[in-house]
Amino acid sequence: HASPQAPYQRVAKMEAHAVAVRCVAFSRDGKTVLSGSEDSRAVLWEAASGRQLYTLQGHGSWVLGAAFSADGSHVVTCSSDQTVRNWDLTTGASVQTLADSHSDQAWGVAFDPSGGRFCSVGDDRAIRVFEATVAGGE
């Protein structure tokens, strides 16, 4: 891999959104990229080729933040619709909507390195932390 100080050059261009792109995130392994837009969609891309893999639809307004889980199997997105969504990247399906996430626009999300938790931030001046639950657990 090149040094972070090395000059950079464009190797791919990805276009699928109808309006402005508001966020972007790389998967931990660098193989996929997720973009979020004012068109209320997130798009998953193959990083090397720029090929579109999935369009994630479900937010009611702008997608403003995105983060990949540590293992790359899920992504969380947040939106100006005040929700955070959890997506399964093997199917492209929304598996959870955290509708009570924020009382105003949600602007950012980040996973902890273990992948067992993530947090979100928003215009309501709050940082919310979410933890994975184990089915059948206490």
Side-chain angles (χ1 to χ4, degrees):
H1 294 309
S3 161
Q5 293 82 24
Y8 289 89
Q9 65 182 0
R10 184 176 77 190
V11 295
K13 182 177 180 182
M14 303 160 191
E15 296 178 292
H17 293 287
V19 290
V21 176
R22 291 291 174 178
C23 63
V24 65
F26 258 106
S27 62
R28 193 176 208 172
D29 65 8
K31 293 181 180 178
T32 53
V33 174
L34 189 80
S35 58
S37 172
E38 291 179 9
D39 62 10
S40 305
R41 300 178 308 137
V43 176
L44 184 69
W45 308 89
E46 185 177 72
S49 69
R51 183 173 62 93
Q52 187 174 337
L53 301 173
Y54 288 116
T55 298
L56 309 179
Q57 298 186 77
H59 281 294
S61 191
W62 299 5
V63 177
L64 299 172
F68 282 87
S69 63
D71 66 2
S73 67
H74 286 78
V75 68
V76 291
T77 56
C78 63
S79 171
S80 57
D81 68 4
Q82 304 175 8
T83 67
V84 174
R85 283 184 175 262
N86 180 13
W87 305 87
D88 180 341
L89 294 183
T90 60
T91 64
S94 175
V95 294
Q96 185 179 22
T97 301
L98 300 157
D100 60 348
S101 303
H102 291 273
S103 61
D104 205 335
Q105 297 183 103
W107 277 97
V109 287
F111 267 97
D112 80 357
S114 75
R117 295 179 299 175
F118 70 87
C119 58
S120 65
V121 297
D123 279 351
D124 57 5
R125 302 181 316 273
I127 300 168
R128 305 249 189 323
V129 179
F130 301 90
E131 189 169 58
T133 57
V134 179
E138 296 181 22

